[in-house]
């Protein structure tokens, strides 16, 4: 029987392979969530640079009381990363949910990023 970490790693690799095949050179919106925080980056894989990022660990987010790992915080982070990506000149991305299911916090973040101006 495979371990949970092994299954997550296989899912993550399978998803990244599909994203590389279908991305068409678009930057990747990568999500990492933990039990306490959520982090998002817009990454240009061709150059290996992060174009925009947002996290619940940022001081402005913590002071606004939106820190933590819940749907409300994910919505704020999604809108923030979309705003920063549009400022950097990125409007189309490929959504990389990693090993996480498109449900709950990940779904809220994606919908907020779409509302903020990103298309994927």
């Amino acid at each position: 029987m495979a371990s949970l970490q092994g299954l997550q790693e296989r899912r993550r690799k399978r998803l990244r392979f599909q994203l590389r095949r279908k991305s068409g050179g678009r930057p990747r919106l990568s999500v990492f969530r933990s039990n306490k925080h959520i982090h998002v980056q817009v990454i240009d894989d061709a150059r290996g640079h992060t174009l925009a990022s947002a996290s619940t660990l940022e001081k402005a987010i913590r002071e606004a009381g939106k820190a933590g790992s819940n749907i409300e915080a994910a919505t704020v982070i999604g809108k923030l990363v979309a705003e920063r990506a549009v400022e950097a000149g990125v409007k189309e991305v490929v959504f990389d949910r990693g090993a996480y299911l498109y449900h709950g916090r990940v779904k809220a973040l994606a919908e907020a990023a779409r509302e903020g101006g990103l298309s994927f």
Side-chain angles (χ1 to χ4, degrees), residues 40 53-63 67 77 80 84:
V40 185
S53 66
S55 170
T56 54
L57 290 173
E58 294 179 14
K59 189 174 182 178
I61 301 296
R62 284 183 294 158
E63 289 175 352
I77 295 300
L80 183 62
R84 291 177 180 175

Side-chain angles (χ1 to χ4, degrees), residues 58-92:
E58 294 179 14
K59 189 174 182 178
I61 301 296
R62 284 183 294 158
E63 289 175 352
K66 305 294 185 199
S69 186
N70 54 24
I71 290 178
E72 182 182 342
T75 303
V76 171
I77 295 300
K79 288 179 184 177
L80 183 62
V81 77
E83 177 183 309
R84 291 177 180 175
V86 169
E87 286 176 8
V90 176
K91 294 200 184 240
E92 291 187 1

